[in-house]
Amino acid sequence: MSTFVPTQSEQGDRGWHLIDANSRVLGRVATTAARLLQGKHKPRYTPFLDLGDHVVIVNAKQIRLTGRKESQKLYRHHSGFPGGLREDRAVTVRQQQPVRLLERAIKGMLPKTKLGNAMYRKLKVYAGPDHPHEAQKPSNYEVS
């Protein structure tokens, strides 16, 4: 008996999920979205195939950070040149680009390969309640 591996035609349609991040904890929303993007919620999940669904997250501006992360959490980036380390606190990242908090958290939970990049491209995050994906009829997904 050999292991079942779904082919491209057996993968089926990709679903669309809508997550409302209003007053939700950042880590809970990020893990839920990463799980949906990878396809781990499906019975045919295969680690080396992209079987995941599209995820639309709205109200990213109202995401909640627990504890003192708002003032203590650091986001670092290095340009590659001497003295090129840049550090921003979560409060400034939220003011300048509120979508970036969720995007960085979810990207860190996906595989660090071409497959992970393909999964990340199916993520759409919006700061407000409006999104341009109504034609795809995304189903509401409740985060616990």
Side-chain angles (χ1 to χ4, degrees):
M1 183 90 174
S2 61
T3 303
F4 172 75
V5 177
T7 61
Q8 190 71 25
S9 61
E10 294 171 340
Q11 290 180 9
D13 293 333
R14 295 188 192 277
W16 283 76
H17 301 283
L18 178 66
I19 297 176
D20 188 5
N22 190 8
S23 70
R24 302 279 185 199
V25 178
L26 173 66
R28 299 285 177 128
V29 174
T31 53
T32 303
R35 217 174 140 67
L36 291 170
L37 289 169
Q38 288 176 315
K40 287 191 168 186
H41 63 291
K42 296 183 177 181
R44 292 190 176 205
Y45 168 71
T46 309
F48 54 87
L49 293 177
D50 184 12
L51 302 175
D53 295 340
H54 294 268
V55 176
V56 179
I57 301 177
V58 293
N59 292 322
K61 201 172 205 171
Q62 281 84 31
I63 198 83
R64 193 166 53 109
L65 292 173
T66 58
R68 290 189 276 177
K69 292 187 191 89
E70 192 78 36
S71 60
Q72 291 181 347
K73 186 169 178 61
L74 288 176
Y75 289 93
R76 293 187 174 103
H77 173 74
H78 201 287
S79 66
F81 291 97
L85 180 65
R86 302 287 180 255
E87 291 182 343
D88 287 324
R89 300 210 179 267
V91 66
T92 59
V93 172
R94 184 193 296 268
Q95 289 170 354
Q96 294 169 358
Q97 298 165 327
V99 170
R100 190 70 53 91
L101 290 174
L102 264 169
E103 287 177 345
R104 290 265 315 251
I106 294 169
K107 190 170 179 86
M109 296 179 186
L110 295 176
K112 314 304 187 268
T113 59
K114 294 177 190 177
L115 183 64
N117 293 338
M119 292 173 183
Y120 181 71
R121 276 186 235 116
K122 295 181 300 193
L123 174 69
K124 312 323 189 224
V125 183
Y126 299 100
D130 302 323
H131 64 88
H133 305 286
E134 289 297 329
Q136 285 74 28
K137 298 178 183 144
S139 61
N140 288 334
Y141 197 88
E142 195 61 36
V143 178
S144 57

